[in-house]
Structures are given as structure tokens and as C-alpha cells.
Amino acid sequence: MLIHWAVMPTRLPVVLRRCHTCASGSFRANGKFRVNAHHKLLDAWLLALCTGCGDTTKLTVLERAHVRSVRPELLDRMHANDPALAAELLQDPVVRRRNRVALDWTGAWRLDTGGQDHSDREVIDVSVTFGARIPVRPLRLIADGCGLSRTETERLLSEGKLVSPARLNGRLTGDFGFLLKR
């Protein structure tokens, strides 16, 4: 029987960037946007507040874009300060690279196992889906979801009792599956 787990975001991740005012290294995006028009050209920024001093930084979303090249729905979502759009843009690698920022997902996600107890089963076949591109360590995820220690999970992997087509060492940001034999 296939069991479905989900890694779901609980809030927006922390933006890692140096503050010019207090030298703090993190900002919290709150989903607010600023849009500025220069005749037929638009600039748009996602605003984030420093966790140390509260100073605002602007993450460039659009830069000198012609009004007709911007989808009206996107512009409406920016004017409405849509938090879902902020989450989408923070996960966009182009926006992160343009602004030279990284994301810290610590404490910003949860694992939903469906509330089932898997300890009594001999074989567990699990499919893990991600609600966002959250980098997690699969061994840690499996240990937390199955109620095992990390060393026990590593032992099961080395003994061949934990198998997956995905690499379980390191970090993953996309869907994967695994089979656990006890």
C-alpha cells in the first residue's frame, strides 16, 4: 500500500542578505510589493524587513519592463500584495540570482504524514511530495516521519533495507519515493 507524505510550507522563508544599517544577515518578506511607473516602463519590488533593525530592502521583480509586456493578472496581484505571489517569486531562481539572495527554510515547513502510525508494518512504500522547493535532507525526513533516529535510518540505508531511486544523502527539493523494509 502506497503512503503519501507532504512537505508543506508554513510561512515564507527568511531571506539571507546583509543589512546595510545594522549588519544583520536576514530579512523577513511580508508579501508587500511596490510598483513604480515611469511613463510606459514599470519597476516592481518585493519588500522585506530586516530582522534586526526593521529596515526595508527591495528585491527587484521587474526592472524597466514595458507595460504591455507585463501580464495584467501579475500586476493586479502585485497591487493587491498577494502573499502567494511573494512565495512564488521567492522560489524563482531568476529573482534570487538577480538580487543575490538565498533562502533559509528553517522552521518554515512541516511534514504531513497523514497521521498514520507506520511502526507495525513490515514494509512501508512512501511517496513524498513537496508544496514548494524546500531543501530538506531525505534521511532526516524519513527519520522524523517513521519515528526513527537518524543513525538508525543511516544503518537501514547501508544495510539495503531503505531503498529509493533518489539519492537519500544530501538535500532534495523535489518529489521522491522510498521503500523501507524492517
Side-chain angles (χ1 to χ4, degrees):
M1 183 170 132
L2 184 64
I3 300 167
H4 297 283
W5 289 359
V7 177
M8 301 302 298
T10 56
R11 61 172 170 79
L12 292 175
V14 172
V15 177
L16 300 178
R17 176 188 231 181
R18 181 73 49 207
C19 178
H20 297 293
T21 306
C22 71
S24 170
S26 58
F27 286 80
R28 188 161 308 278
N30 56 4
K32 303 263 188 230
F33 291 90
R34 178 161 186 242
V35 179
N36 196 12
H38 305 279
H39 302 287
K40 293 184 180 185
L41 301 177
L42 290 177
D43 290 325
W45 301 276
L46 173 62
L47 303 178
L49 300 175
C50 175
T51 57
C53 66
D55 194 32
T56 303
T57 189
K58 299 186 289 187
L59 304 175
T60 303
V61 176
L62 297 173
E63 190 170 28
R64 302 289 186 205
H66 197 277
V67 173
R68 291 181 190 238
S69 69
V70 179
R71 294 187 328 258
E73 308 86 44
L74 177 66
L75 201 53
D76 290 342
R77 289 176 73 187
M78 281 191 225
H79 284 301
N81 291 322
D82 186 2
L85 177 62
E88 290 173 27
L89 291 172
L90 281 175
Q91 294 177 41
D92 186 2
V94 174
V95 172
R96 288 199 320 255
R97 191 170 34 254
R98 176 188 297 153
N99 292 287
R100 295 184 185 104
V101 296
L103 301 179
D104 181 11
W105 283 95
T106 306
W109 61 273
R110 66 178 168 80
L111 175 64
D112 182 16
T113 60
Q116 301 171 2
D117 186 23
H118 314 297
S119 59
D120 60 339
R121 295 195 179 161
E122 191 69 28
V123 177
I124 302 171
D125 188 12
V126 179
S127 169
V128 181
T129 58
F130 286 72
R133 294 183 50 85
I134 303 169
V136 296
R137 296 188 183 278
L139 284 179
R140 176 183 168 216
L141 200 70
I142 294 167
D144 290 347
C146 294
L148 304 170
S149 68
R150 284 194 216 162
T151 55
E152 188 175 355
T153 311
E154 289 172 1
R155 182 184 54 79
L156 290 169
L157 180 64
S158 65
E159 291 176 357
K161 294 183 178 180
L162 176 60
V163 293
S164 174
R167 185 171 161 248
L168 297 178
N169 295 331
R171 292 184 184 265
L172 285 177
T173 59
D175 301 349
F176 72 97
F178 67 91
L179 185 69
L180 176 64
K181 303 174 221 169
R182 296 187 191 218

